[in-house]
Amino acid sequence: MKRITAINVLLELVDDDVLVANIGDVCKELYSAGDRKETFYMLGSMGLASSVGLGLSLANSRRVIVLDGDGSVLMNLGSVATIAAEAPGNFKLVIFDNKAYGSTGYQRTPTSGKCRLTDIVKAAGLGNVQHVSDLKGFRDAMEKILAEDAPAVLVAEVEKEEKLFPVVEL
């Protein structure tokens, strides 16, 4: 599944929800798919989208949906434990797992090996955790978690996108 396609599906499902997008390609794709006044684009702060989204969800009653990447979440795993401890019903975290640090040159993340983000998130105390790898699964899971008044995490496997400037892997 392409991340941009999943983002387009998400935009079909949201209303006046607050969206928080992590740095890099997620920001660019979300902006190109449909800029909205309810969207906060993170720039220059890898790993902090979930923390910003948590703060926003605690500060108001609107639903907050964070669009993050596997590399960014791995950089700030403490936020997952804090989200579980606070458990705001209006908080939703979508992790696009392309198994790479896309913003820094597409080096492999630990999710390209044995690391499973769903296991980490569940171990932190979040119970509503789903994993999808295709567009139908993404749409179904998003519809489900958006209908619930509980914090939720959706790990969506997405393709590693080609870059204009190829990265040499050692």
Side-chain angles (χ1 to χ4, degrees), residues 9-114:
V9 166
L10 175 70
L11 288 174
E12 292 172 14
L13 300 174
V14 297
D15 217 358
D16 66 344
D17 302 310
V18 175
L19 299 181
V20 177
N22 79 339
I23 66 169
D25 294 335
V26 173
C27 271
K28 294 172 193 172
E29 290 175 358
L30 181 59
Y31 181 83
S32 70
D35 184 33
R36 318 160 56 245
K37 65 179 178 156
E38 300 89 359
T39 301
F40 182 75
Y41 302 99
M42 301 288 296
L43 297 173
S45 54
M46 188 170 173
L48 295 176
S50 59
S51 297
V52 169
L54 174 62
L56 289 170
S57 70
L58 293 172
N60 74 82
S61 60
R62 288 170 69 184
R63 193 167 46 201
V64 176
I65 305 163
V66 176
L67 307 180
D68 217 337
D70 53 315
S72 291
V73 170
L74 288 167
M75 285 190 70
N76 186 14
L77 286 176
S79 68
V80 175
T82 305
I83 293 163
E86 293 296 325
N90 61 336
F91 181 87
K92 315 298 178 187
L93 173 59
V94 177
I95 304 170
F96 292 118
D97 186 358
N98 62 1
K99 302 179 182 345
Y101 293 103
S103 295
T104 63
Y106 274 80
Q107 304 87 354
R108 290 180 304 210
T109 64
T111 64
S112 67
K114 295 180 181 179

